[in-house]
Amino acid sequence: MSDSNFDLAVGVGGDAVNSGLQTAYQQHRDAFRGQAEKTLEGTDYTFAWDFLDAPSLALTPPDADLWGKMIKADGVTDLPDSGVLQFTAQQLQADCKVGETPLPQVTGKVTVALQLKLDGGGITALPLGAWLENLPDGPTSIIVKNVVVPALLTQGATLLKGLKIPAQDLFGQTVTLSLVRVDVIPTHLVLASTAAVGQPQAVRADDAVDWPTDKQVFTLISKSLLTTLLTATIKQYENTRLAKGDKTIQFVASARWDATFRRATNLTVGDDPTTASAGVDVDWHAELDLVPISPDGSGGCALSKAGHES
């Protein structure tokens, strides 16, 4: 990125996000089951849930019809304009009890609407509403609305709570990043951060950015951060010997050489960010002895000696 108000942006496409959820589901199965309890007017209600397959994320808000059917979170009436996605489980197994009396086990599809918002360098997933397939009527709806739905909203919010770009090891430098933007677009979830090594201006939420959505996963780095990191990396190699050696061709010549990298100055990243230029100081010294050809190898003279320091 030539000019931007953030230093590092990471975009992950919907397929990549859901591939990660599949892996998380396989490796952390217990994180996708749980239990909630609540007492209402003296009656204990218990809800135990288990996702029978990996849930998925849709990087789009629910359509008007689905939003109208959702049971809304407390204080939520309208669908926000930005940052909204959907968490869907095709098979949620629900076991409920009223007091000590178990209700019939239910398995069905569930969708939870969430809004991603920045919160202290991380992300808060704000629950908006939940839709359950075959929503029961009558007394059973009490446990659904007061226990099941709040538990599902909490589960959906916990899934992405605290999401951030961790400190990165870039070119041998540890860079601490602070989130300044989260974008939910139909193809990608994008996180943009500023770096501790710079003083960039925070991006405004309404600034439009043309993200490279032709890639499933992309990383963008600002020229200023790239220049800082490359400069710091090169500095680690100051006063490093580049080469030292000697070679002899019998009866012909012998050579010795020594070169040391001293420093690089005025490093500049080009308009093509895969290229950079800098002034380089290298100290070098070389000697060449020319040996007259003789059967016994005797004789010889110093032909040249040279050195350089700039």
Side-chain angles (χ1 to χ4, degrees):
M1 299 180 292
S2 297
D3 298 298
S4 67
N5 292 327
F6 47 87
D7 288 309
L8 188 71
V10 177
V12 185
D15 290 345
V17 169
N18 288 315
S19 176
L21 278 176
Q22 283 277 356
T23 301
Y25 180 82
Q26 294 165 5
Q27 296 181 356
H28 306 283
R29 186 66 181 82
D30 287 343
F32 294 87
R33 53 168 66 102
Q35 180 172 303
E37 299 177 356
K38 191 167 185 176
T39 301
L40 296 171
E41 298 180 356
T43 301
D44 295 329
Y45 295 88
T46 304
F47 166 52
W49 69 88
D50 188 359
F51 293 100
L52 300 183
D53 55 9
S56 62
L57 288 178
L59 302 178
T60 55
D63 59 31
D65 181 61
L66 179 57
W67 176 245
K69 296 176 182 178
M70 284 186 166
I71 300 174
K72 311 300 189 293
D74 290 342
V76 176
T77 55
D78 299 324
L79 194 63
D81 294 331
S82 63
V84 179
L85 47 74
Q86 300 174 73
F87 168 83
T88 299
Q90 297 295 330
Q91 295 188 80
L92 174 71
Q93 179 178 291
D95 292 283
C96 302
K97 289 196 306 183
V98 179
E100 296 299 322
T101 304
L103 301 178
Q105 187 180 79
V106 176
T107 301
K109 182 179 178 180
V110 172
T111 297
V112 177
L114 305 166
Q115 183 187 26
L116 299 188
K117 302 182 75 174
L118 293 178
D119 180 25
I123 289 179
T124 290
L126 179 68
L128 302 173
W131 170 83
L132 293 82
E133 190 176 43
N134 303 320
L135 182 65
D137 296 322
T140 306
S141 65
I142 296 175
I143 189 172
V144 171
K145 293 181 179 179
N146 293 282
V147 182
V148 175
V149 169
L152 290 175
L153 293 175
T154 300
Q155 180 75 3
T158 301
L159 185 70
L160 294 174
K161 184 178 180 180
L163 181 67
K164 62 178 64 178
I165 305 177
Q168 300 292 304
D169 186 346
L170 301 172
F171 303 99
Q173 306 297 308
T174 299
V175 180
T176 301
L177 302 162
S178 297
L179 279 176
V180 294
R181 179 173 184 145
V182 54
D183 277 0
V184 179
I185 58 178
T187 57
H188 287 70
L189 173 62
V190 184
L191 306 180
S193 296
T194 57
V197 296
Q199 300 295 328
Q201 178 183 353
V203 160
R204 297 199 313 268
D206 57 352
D207 286 342
V209 178
D210 185 15
W211 303 117
T213 54
D214 58 325
K215 310 291 185 183
Q216 255 301 304
V217 179
F218 64 81
T219 300
L220 304 178
I221 186 169
S222 67
K223 286 178 65 175
S224 61
L225 177 58
L226 183 58
T227 301
T228 299
L229 293 174
L230 287 174
T231 300
T233 300
I234 292 173
K235 190 172 182 62
Q236 296 180 358
Y237 295 93
E238 288 183 354
N239 300 314
T240 298
R241 173 169 281 158
L242 300 177
K244 182 178 183 179
D246 61 77
K247 185 176 181 64
T248 298
I249 302 175
Q250 192 172 18
F251 308 138
V252 178
S254 64
R256 293 166 296 284
W257 61 88
D258 190 351
T260 300
F261 169 72
R262 292 303 182 195
R263 67 189 65 82
T265 57
N266 300 321
L267 185 141
T268 303
V269 176
D271 291 334
D272 173 0
T274 62
T275 64
S277 62
V280 178
D281 291 349
V282 176
D283 293 348
W284 62 270
H285 178 81
E287 296 182 8
L288 175 66
D289 291 340
L290 187 63
V291 180
I293 298 175
S294 60
D296 61 2
S298 61
C301 64
L303 179 67
S304 67
K305 294 184 179 182
H308 180 69
E309 195 172 318
S310 72

